[in-house]
Amino acid sequence: MKLLHLDASILGTGSVSRDLSALIVGRLTGDAPAAVTYRDLVAEDPPHLTPATLPSAHPASAMAGTLDAAGQALRDASDRMLAEFVAADMVVIGVPMYNFTIPSQLKAWIDRLLVPGTTFRYGAGGPEGLMGGKRVILALARGGFYGPGTASVSAEHAEHYLRTVFGFMGIVPELVLAEGLAAGEHNKAQALASARDAVGQLAA
């Protein structure tokens, strides 16, 4: 089993999403042998998408022309990100919600995954995801309440975006959610307990 583990919180050891993603990885691996690749997207800080930073498999990467050494290093990093995702049987992502959406570092990583002919293709019936055999689990932490029936549901652009983008690649992601973390200590304690219970119920 190959497992890719990513974190995107800027809070380091104070991060709920990082704690939850680590718990999920522990739950999935247990005593079973697993090859785990860990990437801290805050530390790596992948640059915004340009023709030069697109993976070489993307048709638009040719628009960058000949790359210098620095440009080639960026291209190689993008190729590595795509290859790690494609090769993984399971992907666990720690996702904090910042300013109603995902961190820009995580968006930059996702931008390297949507490669026609590799993770999706266009057919007669429209786009078709090619990653349907992959398991993706999101450890999502948000300070307020954004679920169905709440006043802020229309402002939630993290979970909705991630379900859309992974669905585009043929994946139905699983969700471990901790919300209301900034709504007082009582709410935070309840959210953490509920999220940890959800981790314990994940199929290993």
Side-chain angles (χ1 to χ4, degrees):
M1 178 182 70
K2 292 182 179 180
L3 191 152
L4 177 60
H5 176 194
L6 303 105
D7 279 316
S9 170
I10 64 173
L11 299 182
T13 56
S15 164
V16 170
S17 65
R18 286 178 181 267
D19 288 347
L20 289 177
S21 73
L23 284 175
I24 293 168
V25 170
R27 168 69 178 171
L28 296 179
T29 55
D31 297 325
V36 179
T37 298
Y38 178 71
R39 299 293 179 190
D40 185 333
L41 296 177
V42 176
E44 291 195 11
D45 195 20
H48 292 168
L49 199 64
T50 67
T53 60
L54 279 168
S56 54
H58 198 291
S61 66
M63 295 171 58
T66 302
L67 301 175
D68 60 15
Q72 188 60 52
L74 293 175
R75 173 69 55 77
D76 291 344
S78 295
D79 287 343
R80 185 260 300 164
M81 292 177 205
L82 176 61
E84 286 176 347
F85 176 74
V86 171
D89 301 299
M90 295 190 289
V91 182
V92 177
I93 309 174
V95 186
M97 190 172 83
Y98 294 154
N99 303 317
F100 310 110
T101 189
I102 64 173
S104 59
Q105 296 93 333
L106 179 56
K107 176 62 164 60
W109 176 77
I110 290 172
D111 282 340
R112 287 155 170 82
L113 308 183
L114 294 173
V115 177
T118 301
T119 57
F120 75 96
R121 66 186 173 201
Y122 291 108
E128 175 188 352
L130 301 177
M131 297 284 104
K134 199 177 303 296
R135 186 181 186 188
V136 172
I137 304 175
L138 309 171
L140 176 59
R142 48 199 194 204
F145 296 96
Y146 296 87
T150 65
S152 299
V153 63
S154 64
E156 203 291 317
H157 304 293
E159 178 185 347
H160 181 74
Y161 168 72
L162 291 170
R163 289 191 184 279
T164 299
V165 76
F166 284 111
F168 187 79
M169 293 185 279
I171 301 165
V172 179
E174 301 169 56
L175 180 70
V176 172
L177 174 65
E179 72 170 354
L181 298 171
E185 289 302 316
H186 177 70
N187 285 310
K188 181 176 181 179
Q190 284 191 323
L192 292 176
S194 177
R196 289 171 181 143
D197 286 345
V199 172
Q201 294 170 20
L202 287 172

